[in-house]
Amino acid sequence: SAAQDPGNNALGQGYLALGEIEKARDHLEKAWQAGYHTPSTAYTLGQTMGLLFQKKLAEVERNPSEEIRKKFRQEYEKEYRDPAVQYLKQSQGSVESPAYVEGLIALYEKRYDDALKKAKEAYTKSNWSYEAKVLEGKARAGIAEKKVEAGDYKGAIQQYEFAGKSFAQASDLGRSRADIYLSDCERWGYTLEAQTYTNLSPALSLQNAEEACNKPIMVNPDEPAAYLRKAYVYNRLARYLLYSTSDDPRALLGKSIDSANQAKQIDPKS
């Protein structure tokens, strides 16, 4: 019934604020399908689908096969990214920070320099906006990813450091939000990856990476993504020890398996 739609919309917005994005999507889509097409619903749905897209991408990045990663990336772009962009475009002109929405669209379309510019613009217009700082961090992580693809690993590590500063500012503004900590944990995983291609030992970053990955778990122990990203950090470092040093990788592999098992206990599908 029409009376339910504002209810589903409100529930969806509430779940998104709590970082429970699957539940948010479920309620927001019910509201949307029932004809509740307000700009704020479009905006929240766009954010939700975008967050799901990034979460799915992070999960598939752990797969060692480039072919499988590419296949899933294309599927996720259709299933999550394209709708995210469509919803965000429908919300434009009605949100308090048009620059922020333009920045999100640029992020999902992999126009990372544009996303960074818009994030900075959004932040100068509302200094309290932790979302603008998160967007800035994700844009910098995207720029870093492009540098990795081009073989500029030192340039990538520098961009990941900048991303870390943006996430730190974001967590000062939006204290104890698991999603900010999750983005920072993910950044450490990619930093370790890039360090394995330089003369910097990724082993030196392990303590920082562990601390960063424990934060989202402390805030939300029931979120499998944090355990999966922590497993990725241990796994990446274990592979480095195995192939590039004479150190024993078994302790790290054990930690990686433990973290992955914790994720499985919470969500058997993870």
Side-chain angles (χ1 to χ4, degrees):
S1 74
Q4 264 191 317
D5 311 335
N8 271 319
N9 181 55
L11 278 169
Q13 308 238 6
Y15 279 125
L16 178 63
L18 292 169
E20 296 196 34
I21 37 187
E22 274 92 354
K23 285 181 183 171
R25 177 196 183 178
D26 186 39
H27 287 286
L28 291 164
E29 281 187 338
K30 278 179 186 159
W32 192 264
Q33 282 153 10
Y36 198 75
H37 292 182
T38 69
S40 77
T41 309
Y43 174 59
T44 316
L45 256 171
Q47 281 185 299
T48 302
M49 296 305 273
L51 287 168
L52 279 169
F53 172 59
Q54 292 191 309
K55 187 180 172 184
K56 294 287 178 191
L57 276 189
E59 285 169 13
V60 81
E61 282 311 315
R62 297 190 326 279
N63 195 300
S65 158
E66 172 57 38
E67 207 176 315
I68 290 171
R69 288 202 303 266
K70 195 174 171 185
K71 177 179 162 284
F72 277 112
R73 263 191 228 120
Q74 286 169 341
E75 277 179 29
Y76 294 153
E77 281 175 7
K78 275 201 197 78
E79 194 181 338
Y80 300 103
R81 187 199 64 183
D82 296 349
V85 169
Q86 285 315 113
Y87 285 126
L88 287 169
K89 284 182 175 167
Q90 285 187 44
S91 78
Q92 271 177 311
S94 62
V95 225
E96 59 185 270
S97 177
Y100 175 68
V101 176
E102 284 167 29
L104 273 183
I105 292 169
L107 180 76
Y108 299 142
E109 291 182 340
K110 296 186 178 173
R111 293 181 286 110
Y112 298 123
D113 291 326
D114 290 345
L116 181 59
K117 201 172 93 191
K118 290 292 174 188
K120 287 180 169 174
E121 194 183 312
Y123 185 70
T124 53
K125 287 180 182 166
S126 69
N127 277 356
W128 47 266
S129 170
Y130 79 87
E131 286 107 331
K133 280 289 163 192
V134 172
L135 176 60
E136 188 181 288
K138 286 180 176 178
R140 289 199 180 280
I143 292 167
E145 200 183 308
K146 291 238 165 128
K147 287 189 182 289
V148 165
E149 284 165 12
D152 176 10
Y153 299 108
K154 286 198 169 150
I157 290 164
Q158 187 185 33
Q159 286 298 328
Y160 283 130
E161 274 175 25
F162 290 148
K165 285 178 182 153
S166 301
F167 292 139
Q169 285 174 300
S171 61
D172 284 345
L173 294 163
R175 280 206 188 287
S176 71
R177 282 192 61 97
D179 56 327
I180 304 172
Y181 293 142
L182 211 47
S183 295
D184 200 44
C185 164
E186 184 179 42
R187 168 187 79 91
W188 275 108
Y190 294 143
T191 300
L192 287 170
E193 179 90 45
Q195 284 172 336
T196 61
Y197 297 102
T198 67
N199 53 7
L200 297 161
S201 166
L204 300 173
S205 299
L206 177 63
Q207 195 184 343
N208 287 332
E210 272 184 314
E211 280 172 16
C213 293
N214 282 333
K215 281 180 182 174
I217 290 170
M218 288 188 316
V219 176
N220 184 1
D222 298 328
E223 172 51 76
Y227 298 98
L228 289 173
R229 284 174 199 179
K230 198 173 168 186
Y232 175 81
V233 164
Y234 289 134
N235 190 288
R236 195 64 202 82
L237 198 51
R239 277 172 28 216
Y240 168 77
L241 294 184
L242 184 63
Y243 297 117
S244 308
T245 72
S246 55
D247 296 345
D248 189 340
R250 281 176 295 190
L252 284 168
L253 283 170
K255 285 183 172 186
S256 177
I257 291 164
D258 287 346
S259 286
N261 280 336
Q262 280 174 296
K264 274 231 175 317
Q265 279 167 4
I266 297 163
D267 178 5
K269 294 197 297 291
S270 63

